[in-house]
Amino acid sequence: MTSRELDAAGIHDPALRAAYTHCRGLNARHGRTYFLATRLLPVDRRPAVHALYGFARWADDIVDDLESGATSGERARALLALEAQLDAGLRQGGTTEPVILALAHTAGRYGIDHRHFTEFLSSMRSDLTVGGYASYEELGRYMHGSAAVIGLQMLPVLGTVVPREEAAPHAAALGVAFQLTNFLRDVGEDLDRGRLYLPADLLTAYGVDRGRFEWSRRTGARDSRITDVLRAAAAHNRAVYRQALPGLAMLSPVSRPCIRTAFVLYSGILDAIEADGYAVLHRRAVVSRGRRATVAFDGLVRAVAYRVVHRSAGASWGGSAETGRDARYRPPRAVRPVEEGAA
């Protein structure tokens, strides 16, 4: 965390500064797309985003780090310990754990509903015992806690130009869209962890099952029916991005370049998956450095333009402080095979 960002956010306590700096390091190391997009936010809002990411990263690593060698029981106990630290930090403010310290400060400053954190941990716990989902509806209930609440956590930090409850469903959908993209990109790695986030009824519609996916992962062989499943899943994912898109215009203008950049880069992963022939069971699709640089530069130009106009007009574009109702993700009705042209 740069001193400029911390000073702009009014964070002067040495322990808090160290905590936010720790979270920034987590984001820089593990969340390249998010970190790049966060650089487009006004400096005073960046620390809060790093705190939210740091907490999500910590929990995700407990569940997913294959190199740790931890058993499922050890992971469950680690999650319980994290939840206890979270509860103590949010309720009492008495914690020395840097991620929780920064998170509790961010939650208090922006009035973030504590349920979003507990629901997130609930979905993380399910990853220890649940390895698959029957339908998009069932998967959607899991993703409310694992992804939609991330968008809802971010909304008070980003600010809105409409009542927050109006923007909330779009923010939730964007969190889900990002995670669905992760699921497609990482389908092979998730199989190695004993999980498949493609609904069973989608597989059945194309005449394959989980065993066929595991066979393809294990042998490196391709199956056109698996490609059809992945293509349909990508079409479903694009439909969720379309649900989220109207929310960009509802954000504070100074926050839009950041989220637009993340939107374009993450949806661009779907383009990379398609260009690579949906070979995600065998290799990870990535957005090229050139494309990333182009999108980031466009975002930077937009961010600078908004700030120049803001300063010259003296406008107040900080965003709405209204507290909206909870928004639960409702998946598009795309359980049946989706025509290729629908994307």
Side-chain angles (χ1 to χ4, degrees), residues 293-313:
T294 299
V295 174
F297 180 74
D298 177 70
L300 178 62
V301 170
R302 291 170 182 267
V304 170
Y306 279 135
R307 291 168 199 171
V308 168
V309 172
H310 173 57
R311 284 195 297 267
S312 63

Side-chain angles (χ1 to χ4, degrees), residues 2 4-5 24 27 31-47 49-50 154 157-158 248 251-266 291-308 310-311 317:
T2 65
R4 176 168 169 259
E5 290 170 345
R24 184 184 190 274
N27 198 352
R32 291 183 300 171
T33 298
Y34 291 124
F35 184 75
L36 178 64
T38 300
R39 298 289 295 167
L40 301 175
L41 282 175
V43 290
D44 63 314
R45 305 191 194 196
R46 296 175 196 169
V49 176
H50 294 316
M154 284 282 293
V157 178
L158 299 173
L248 298 186
L251 298 175
S252 168
V254 293
S255 296
R256 289 175 201 162
C258 165
I259 304 306
R260 180 185 180 277
T261 296
F263 186 104
V264 173
L265 287 176
Y266 244 83
R291 175 59 176 161
R292 286 165 57 87
T294 299
V295 174
F297 180 74
D298 177 70
L300 178 62
V301 170
R302 291 170 182 267
V304 170
Y306 279 135
R307 291 168 199 171
V308 168
H310 173 57
R311 284 195 297 267
W317 284 348

Side-chain angles (χ1 to χ4, degrees), residues 171-305:
L174 187 57
V176 169
F178 287 165
Q179 187 169 63
L180 285 170
T181 300
N182 282 339
F183 288 163
L184 270 177
R185 182 194 62 191
D186 302 337
V187 64
E189 297 171 19
D190 285 331
L191 273 175
D192 295 341
R193 300 183 178 102
R195 301 187 213 118
L196 183 62
Y197 294 104
L198 297 171
D201 62 356
L202 179 63
L203 273 61
T204 299
Y206 288 94
V208 295
D209 58 15
R210 182 180 181 133
R212 195 64 176 171
F213 271 72
E214 292 169 343
W215 164 83
S216 180
R217 174 68 171 173
R218 183 176 63 254
T219 65
R222 302 289 297 272
D223 185 319
S224 62
R225 294 170 298 175
I226 290 177
T227 300
D228 289 339
V229 170
L230 297 171
R231 185 181 291 112
H236 175 86
N237 195 171
R238 292 187 191 279
V240 181
Y241 276 112
R242 289 194 292 271
Q243 280 189 341
L245 184 59
L248 298 186
M250 299 178 184
L251 298 175
S252 168
V254 293
S255 296
R256 289 175 201 162
C258 165
I259 304 306
R260 180 185 180 277
T261 296
F263 186 104
V264 173
L265 287 176
Y266 244 83
S267 59
I269 294 173
L270 294 179
D271 297 329
I273 290 171
E274 180 181 7
D276 197 33
Y278 297 94
V280 288
L281 279 168
H282 313 117
R283 55 183 174 267
R284 178 184 260 215
V286 296
V287 178
S288 70
R289 289 185 178 181
R291 175 59 176 161
R292 286 165 57 87
T294 299
V295 174
F297 180 74
D298 177 70
L300 178 62
V301 170
R302 291 170 182 267
V304 170

Side-chain angles (χ1 to χ4, degrees), residues 135-155:
S135 65
Y136 273 120
E137 182 179 3
E138 186 176 293
L139 181 62
R141 289 193 289 271
Y142 162 80
M143 286 192 295
H144 171 75
S146 65
V149 297
I150 303 297
L152 298 175
Q153 290 169 23
M154 284 282 293
L155 202 53

